[in-house]
Amino acid sequence: MTASFDTALTRLTGVRYPIVQTGMGWVAGPRLVTASAEAGALGILASATMSTEQLRSAVREVRSRTDRPFGVNLRADAGDARERVRIIIDEGVRVASFALAPSRDLIAELKDAGVVVIPSIGARRHAEKVAAWGADAVIVQGGEGGGHTGEVATTVLLPQVVDAVGIPVVAAGGFHDGRGLVAALAYGAAGIAMGTRFLLTSDSTVPDAVKARYLAATVKDVTVTTAVDGLPHRMLRTEMVAALERAGRVRALAQTVRRAAGFRKLSGLSWPRMIRDGLAMRHGKDLSWSQVLLAANTPVLLRASMVEGRTDLGVMASGQVAGLIEDLPSCEELVQRILSEAAHALRALPSPG
């Protein structure tokens, strides 16, 4: 019999198990989200790499495949964020998650419509801010997590946030099995969120060659670099990453312009639009022109690997946990395995006394 692990997260969102599949750009599409939801986890669609029309279509596709709760991840700083919020409300999506802290107004609009708001944060002060603004829960990502990440490890950041806010906290960064779920619950979390582990499932649409690259990686093959867009970004170390780190600013700019010419054809963006987008993504950082162009093209860099299978051209965001993953189960198999492992871990704990 499968353990239920009823927590504040399952009660808040209506999912069966306290496990979240995060909204990874180009990865968390309708197929993966449906499989995660059907497995009893909270699947989250990644909308930042979709147009508004594609987002509405993706939501409807998931809805046609499952009657279980799921969510949509948004960029709070997107120019059309309010339009995307309207789609979530109109389509009856259960959960809205955010890669950056949403405004008080956006949170209020979603909550007034009955949508559960769960921002992702990387610092205690950010958790305190969104909690004060009315967020229903937070996903806390420690430095082990993939993509843009901070410096504080999950084991330090998680208890800080649990102690600081009075809303459910979901732990992210370094989780892949049932032992991690038990550990997170022991810290006071209401569940765990996983990206890389769900990316490496048979339900993920990521090309086989890219999955093989992840499976072959050791913990030391997962690095944090600022060479891509000027912000700390955890990813697999590849030839492209190494070349960007070796290059000086002039060489890096020349390499980036050549790559950007190809990216521009894929994205349909003009040069002025690419530069404006890159400048908008600086977040107050002192970026080189190479990094400005790369910041604008980061979604296309991810697309090159996650959709086109170009491990030589794209970047592969990754949590450190990739070095521990060795197989490609279905989402159903993964979730059931985690629950079984968690139940075993709990039984193996010594009794107090």
Side-chain angles (χ1 to χ4, degrees), residues 300-323:
V300 187
L301 285 167
L302 289 165
R303 183 184 187 278
S305 55
M306 299 305 164
V307 178
E308 305 296 334
R310 293 294 303 273
T311 59
D312 59 325
L313 182 63
V315 300
M316 289 173 277
S318 177
Q320 279 185 309
V321 76

Side-chain angles (χ1 to χ4, degrees), residues 47-62:
S47 80
T49 51
M50 300 177 184
S51 67
T52 52
E53 294 80 7
Q54 290 170 331
L55 171 58
R56 191 181 294 275
S57 176
V59 167
R60 290 179 176 177
E61 183 175 347
V62 176

Side-chain angles (χ1 to χ4, degrees), residues 196-216:
T196 305
R197 178 64 274 197
F198 276 104
L199 183 156
L200 293 173
T201 60
S202 60
D203 294 306
S204 163
T205 58
V206 171
D208 290 344
V210 177
K211 290 180 181 177
R213 189 73 178 261
Y214 277 94
L215 292 176

Side-chain angles (χ1 to χ4, degrees), residues 313-338:
L313 182 63
V315 300
M316 289 173 277
S318 177
Q320 279 185 309
V321 76
L324 305 178
I325 297 173
E326 298 178 343
D327 62 351
L328 299 170
S330 68
C331 289
E332 176 70 23
E333 291 167 341
L334 173 62
V335 169
Q336 291 302 314
R337 181 197 300 176
I338 288 173

